[in-house]
Amino acid sequence: MTHPVPLPSLAELKSSARRLRAALADEGDFIQHSEALELIARQHGYRDWNTLRAAAGNRPTLPLAVGGTVRGRYLGQTFSARIVSLSPLGADAKFLRISLELDAPVDVVKFDSFSAYRRRVQATIRSDGRTVACTSDGEPQLQLELAA
């Protein structure tokens, strides 16, 4: 069975269970909180709450969404951009493939006699918003400014 990735955060899943329980209570159907958690797990394609909780983990959620805006540094230059695509890599979603449309082109060449401007950037980022790939001076190629 395939499962949607990335899952909502653990806090969002628990909040969904509370809302479900309240909605059912409004209609006269009273269930325990544990039963609501089990229903939320099944709604997401998992056999029970413990399995869903293990899949969701305690990972922090990234404040990224397609169509959203982000700021950061690309090859040492500051930028602002719109997120064009965002997809998790692997079942644990520790890495994301992101595609950005920069508001203003960035010169990716450091030579004075040559320029190459880039308006769209694709990268694989970790949960901290930085690429694994680094420049020759050891800095991540792309660094997003993520709200803490």
Side-chain angles (χ1 to χ4, degrees), residues 24-97:
L24 289 172
D26 287 346
E27 296 186 12
D29 293 326
F30 298 97
I31 63 171
Q32 294 179 0
H33 184 66
S34 61
E35 292 173 304
L37 291 172
E38 296 294 328
L39 290 171
I40 293 299
R42 281 188 241 138
Q43 181 182 10
H44 284 279
Y46 290 84
R47 73 173 183 250
D48 57 32
W49 170 251
N50 289 335
T51 308
L52 174 60
R53 189 192 184 300
N58 287 326
R59 71 190 187 291
T61 58
L62 287 175
L64 302 174
V66 173
T69 59
V70 69
R71 301 176 62 82
R73 294 180 63 76
Y74 178 64
L75 299 177
Q77 299 184 47
T78 59
F79 71 87
S80 59
R82 181 178 63 86
I83 300 173
V84 177
S85 69
L86 188 65
S87 58
L89 298 176
D92 56 5
K94 287 184 180 178
F95 297 94
L96 296 170
R97 185 75 178 155

Side-chain angles (χ1 to χ4, degrees), residues 16 20 23-24 27 35 56-57 65 80 87 101 121 127 129 142:
S16 295
L20 173 63
L24 289 172
E27 296 186 12
E35 292 173 304
S80 59
S87 58
E101 174 109 17
V121 174
S127 61
L142 177 73

Side-chain angles (χ1 to χ4, degrees), residues 98-136:
I98 191 168
S99 181
L100 303 172
E101 174 109 17
L102 306 178
D103 293 342
V106 170
D107 190 359
V108 297
V109 177
K110 292 188 176 184
F111 298 112
D112 293 334
S113 61
F114 179 70
S115 293
Y117 289 93
R118 188 168 288 165
R119 179 95 188 213
R120 185 163 289 202
V121 174
Q122 293 184 7
T124 300
I125 60 171
R126 297 180 301 224
S127 61
D128 63 358
R130 295 172 174 227
T131 57
V132 175
C134 294
T135 59
S136 60

